[in-house]
């Protein structure tokens, strides 16, 4: 086998001699798989793709295989490095030049800069099929690699000579395996169109493309390292698929609004390179190529988009979908005549991003396309017909080769202009305002979150320093140890965008047209999400010695005093891990007063270990005192908002002071998992609870209907989902019987029984309607019945006020921020006197929005965000806002955790008869 990097001159000669024959040694994918890539109803599974890529490495000196790490399910996450053999032999040198183009290690001197332009290679990253049902690109990758490894045409030679091509054949290998196995299980049966019943990522499903600033998932972390710690590609294309009924492919540029923190040149190159792809497709005679549609240029969080704030040209393609690998028929439109509407309605776009339905369950032909008007963005509309996986592969191959060629042609221009963007970014940070953003440690509600904040920024490639001494900035004094993010750095656009308040620039297509609602979330202000105060500094920083930070900063933890009863403050989510760890170690825990935890029954050494790990200041107390908590003193009424609205939610609604919380044990938590595509909010919740070391059990429709819930669980969580879908689910003869339907009326009765026996039912987002309507409870969902014109929020950070004297409000700051996405907000109404309703968190009377876009703000002012209803003995907790949204909202995680601990009072679960 031909190896790269020969060790001696003799070997080197041998390799040169065999280059010409290397083309013959890498088997074509068709031979390797036994079918042509993209053949109807045929899929290459991830293990076979990995095997082929290893074969390409072994048989071609143009291809290098790397495993970047493991996925969530422990499958290999891989990348290929593809270039001319001479480049691969000196890869470290070229990687260094690519890093220097992004000013890693400081600004290159003029001579080095010119060397980068003359000799450097353009690093271009392509990532495939993050959404696993959008499977075409992961298949296409096989033919692409074969072609680049074996083709000796001038076009391929030019690409190899000018570009270092980094290919990630799947950003979601676990999902690739799930979708392939599900497809193969059902193909040829009556269930061939049965939608995959669970999330196509172990935790987050489609939302895996919303993780590129919090980097919670392993796949996002591998990608972030590749992008901002390893290769620093100047161009990055992420390949997706969209709905089946309209345009055949979307190429860049995307559509308004743009984001003010992105350099305009990045948007220009989005257009140039996207249009190069379009031109290649037109040249090949392909129809249905569109740009300037659907996908907006504003928001953070998606894969290729996140490159823009890093001065990288991030591109997207979206190709029309087949039914995974099965072909689709669509009625042909007649140009000049509107669609007759025969055929089934169009499938929802697989890339819709949020709230996507389960898709269609049958295979009748799609209705004719309705958008058939030729125009600048869409000169040759798609008129309908047959569409197959092979069509997807063809479009993607042409678009990918078109990009590689354009990048090779423009290598030096792109590198010169990217250098300019980087230079100007640093220069602007030196000259303009702000000069820096500070993250103090002192005075934070939870300093551990300040550490998490800078850690996340570092994962995004941002340089963070710590001040070695106290200093003054903008007239204020900061302690030694304060985190400093200087704007004179190459990724300051990203840091600024992440830390400031977002203002969504409204788009109107005409002077009298209504504003268009945003495509996705409009707020990601990281300080607010984590509950961390950040400070923008306008004047130049004084000369103070700074030390560059590496990794997650640790805060010191210790025990003071002597005795066997240990107490510490519960502040922020990391403390929650400490609490769960101590419970697991066999400690007896209690809330003695608001947010004050006591531990007995554990050795000092055990407690000290936890204190050190989580940076806790633990006090050892000599006298073990009785477990019965002291009655709490009545808190001062809150007077933060002097002008009350007409009828605000009662500020001190709790009819009697709640207990301090008292002792609690490790809660037995059930997490409801619906079928038919799964529920992303469920997946995120599960991920968060696992990270914070809660034990949980997934339960399905049949488990709920089977009853005996209280014997098994203290709390049941139902994540954000339409109440009707929870009860009814999806029914169709083409769905596999075991995945049909919802919890049903029998399930509703069992949930009622669970609460009647003392269980805690936790409903999130739209699932709150299930509790409100079916239990019922005396709470009104004010979101209900409002039109999109009256109230709409695709993702906004809101101010909230938390009752931190109530056990369900412990651990958070009294004034903090919550994430809100079109879910209920509440009014408490008259109900049974035996029900005790507590408002745990409410929106302020004025200025509800903290960051992002919201229509109908005034409707939420003064209203309840989180409500707890004690039914004696059971309890229902309604989360209108999303305390765990996409695992980003650390500031409100404790509100969810409290609901779980509160469900498990006493030292052990209650004894129940079977
Ligand atoms: Zn997608």
């Amino acid at each position: 086998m031909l190896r790269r990097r020969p060790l001696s001159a003799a070997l080197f000669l041998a390799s040169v001699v065999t280059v010409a024959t290397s083309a013959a040694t890498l088997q074509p994918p068709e031979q390797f798989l036994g079918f042509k890539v993209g053949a109807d109803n045929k899929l290459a599974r991830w293990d076979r793709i990995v095997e082929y890529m290893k074969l390409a490495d072994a048989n071609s000196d143009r291809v290098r295989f790397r495993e970047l790490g493991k996925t969530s399910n422990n499958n290999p996450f891989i990348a290929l490095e593809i270039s001319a053999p001479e480049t691969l032999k000196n890869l470290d040198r070229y990687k260094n030049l690519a890093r220097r183009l992004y000013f890693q290690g400081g600004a290159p001197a003029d001579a080095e800069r010119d060397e980068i332009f003359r000799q450097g290679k353009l690093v271009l990253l392509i990532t495939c099929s993050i959404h696993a049902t959008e499977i075409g690109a992961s298949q296409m990758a096989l033919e692409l690699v074969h072609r680049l490894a074996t083709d000796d045409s001038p076009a391929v030679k030019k690409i190899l000579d000018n570009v270092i091509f980094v290919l990630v054949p799947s950003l979601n290998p676990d999902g690739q395996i799930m979708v392939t196995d599900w497809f193969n299980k059902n193909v040829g049966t009556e269930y061939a169109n049965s939608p995959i019943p669970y999330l196509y990522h172990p935790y987050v499903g489609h939302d895996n493309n919303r993780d590129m600033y919090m980097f919670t998932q392993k796949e996002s972390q591998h990608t972030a390292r590749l992008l901002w710690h390893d290769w620093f590609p100047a161009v990055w294309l992420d390949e997706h698929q969209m709905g089946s009924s309209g345009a055949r492919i979307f190429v860049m540029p995307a559509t308004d609004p743009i984001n003010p923190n992105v350099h305009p040149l990045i948007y220009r190159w989005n257009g140039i390179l996207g249009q190069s792809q379009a031109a290649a497709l037109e040249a090949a005679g392909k129809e249905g190529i569109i740009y300037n549609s659907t996908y907006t240029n504003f928001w953070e969080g998606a894969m290729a988009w996140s490159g823009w704030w890093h001065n990288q040209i991030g591109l997207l393609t979206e190709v029309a979908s087949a039914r995974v690998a099965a072909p689709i028929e669509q009625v042909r439109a007649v140009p000049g005549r509107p669609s007759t509407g025969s055929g089934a309605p169009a499938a929802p776009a697989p890339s819709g991003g949020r709230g996507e339905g389960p898709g269609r369950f049958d295979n009748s032909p799609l209705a004719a396309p309705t958008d058939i008007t030729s125009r600048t963005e869409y000169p040759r509309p798609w008129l309908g017909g047959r569409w197959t996986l092979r069509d997807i592969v063809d479009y993607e191959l042409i678009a990918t080769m078109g990009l590689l060629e354009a990048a090779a042609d423009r290598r030096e221009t792109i590198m010169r202009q990217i250098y300019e963007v980087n230079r100007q970014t640093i220069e602007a940070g030196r000259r303009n305002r702000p000069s820096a953003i500070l993250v103090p440690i002192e005075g934070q509600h939870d300093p551990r979150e300040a550490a998490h904040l800078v850690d996340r920024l570092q994962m995004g490639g941002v340089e963070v320093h710590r001040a070695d001494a106290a200093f003054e900035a903008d007239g204020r004094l900061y302690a030694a140890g304060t985190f400093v993010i200087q704007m004179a750095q190459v990724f300051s656009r990203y840091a600024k965008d992440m830390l400031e308040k977002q203002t969504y620039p409204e788009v109107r297509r005409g002077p009298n047209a209504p504003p268009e609602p945003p495509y996705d979330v409009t707020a990601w202000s990281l300080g607010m999400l984590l509950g961390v105060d950040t400070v923008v500094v306008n004047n130049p920083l004084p000369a103070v010695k700074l030390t560059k930070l590496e990794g997650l900063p640790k805060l010191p933890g210790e025990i003071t005093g002597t005795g066997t009863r240990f107490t510490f403050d519960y502040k922020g989510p990391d403390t929650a891990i400490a609490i769960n760890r101590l419970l697991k170690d066999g400690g007896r825990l209690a809330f003695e007063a608001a947010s004050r935890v006591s531990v007995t029954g554990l050795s000092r050494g055990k407690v000290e270990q936890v204190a050190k790990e989580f940076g806790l200041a633990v006090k050892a107390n000599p006298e073990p005192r009785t477990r019965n908590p002291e009655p709490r003193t009545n808190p001062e009424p809150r007077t933060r908002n002097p002008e009350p609205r007409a009828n605000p939610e009662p500020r001190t609604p709790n009819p009697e002071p709640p207990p301090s919380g008292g002792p609690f044990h490790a809660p037995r938590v059930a997490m409801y998992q619906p079928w038919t595509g799964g529920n992303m909010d469920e997946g995120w919740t599960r991920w968060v609870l696992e990270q914070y070391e809660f034990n949980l059990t997934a339960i399905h429709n049949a488990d709920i209907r089977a009853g005996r819930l209280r014997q098994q669980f203290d709390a049941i969580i139902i994540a954000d989902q339409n109440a009707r879908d929870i009860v009814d689910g999806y029914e169709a003869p083409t769905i596999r019987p075991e995945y049909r339907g919802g919890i049903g009326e029998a399930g509703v009765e069992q949930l009622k029984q669970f609460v009647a026996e003392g269980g805690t039912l936790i409903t999130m987002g739209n699932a709150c309607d299930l509790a409100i309507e079916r239990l019922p409870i005396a709470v009104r969902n004010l979101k209900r019945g409002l039109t999109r014109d009256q109230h709409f929020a695709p993702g906004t950070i809101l101010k909230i006020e938390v009752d931190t004297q109530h056990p369900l409000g412990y651990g958070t700051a009294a004034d903090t921020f919550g994430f809100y996405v079109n879910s209920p907000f509440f009014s408490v109404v008259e109900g049974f006197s035996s029900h005790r309703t507590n408002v745990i968190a409410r929106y302020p009377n004025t200025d509800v929005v903290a960051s992002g876009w919201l229509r109908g703000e005034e409707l939420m002012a003064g209203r309840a965000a989180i409500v707890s209803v004690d039914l004696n003995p059971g309890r229902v907790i309604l989360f209108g806002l999303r305390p765990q949204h996409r695992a980003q909202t650390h500031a409100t995680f404790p509100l969810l955790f409290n609901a779980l601990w509160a469900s498990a009072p006493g030292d052990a679960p209650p004894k129940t008869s079977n």
Side-chain angles (χ1 to χ4, degrees), residues 618-738:
V618 177
K619 191 166 181 306
N621 305 273
E623 296 292 313
R625 76 172 178 189
T626 60
R627 216 48 97 36
N628 283 342
E630 292 169 7
R632 73 167 205 166
T633 53
N634 262 332
E636 290 298 305
R638 308 183 62 180
T639 53
R640 221 164 314 103
N641 297 301
E643 315 143 57
R645 56 172 280 141
N647 54 343
E649 292 314 301
R651 190 157 303 145
T652 48
N654 307 336
E656 51 191 273
S660 71
F664 59 98
H665 59 270
R668 302 167 303 163
V669 182
M671 186 77 228
Y672 169 62
Q673 273 183 358
W675 299 123
T676 315
N679 177 342
M680 290 183 278
D681 195 47
E682 178 277 323
W684 283 116
T685 310
R686 186 160 37 88
W687 188 86
V688 168
L689 294 181
E690 282 180 17
Q691 299 307 305
Y692 288 85
E693 303 193 8
F694 286 90
N695 285 328
L696 68 164
T697 308
I699 57 171
H700 299 97
N701 296 326
D703 302 314
I704 292 185
R705 283 195 299 268
R708 294 188 64 255
L709 296 169
R710 183 63 187 121
Q711 283 88 331
Q712 305 169 68
F713 306 114
D714 299 306
I716 296 176
I717 304 176
I718 304 185
D720 178 41
Q721 190 183 4
N722 185 303
R724 194 167 166 174
D725 290 346
I726 295 167
V727 179
D728 296 342
Y730 296 95
E731 291 280 358
T734 49
I735 296 181
R736 283 194 167 268
E738 62 269 35

Side-chain angles (χ1 to χ4, degrees), residues 12 106 133 260 295 356 473 574 767 791 823:
F12 177 70
T133 50
Y295 312 97
E356 62 191 277
D574 278 13
H791 184 271
S823 49

Side-chain angles (χ1 to χ4, degrees), residues 130-131 134 206 240-241 318 351:
I130 186 171
H131 296 143
E134 302 166 18
H206 197 92
H240 287 247
Q241 290 170 218
E318 298 263 3
S351 252

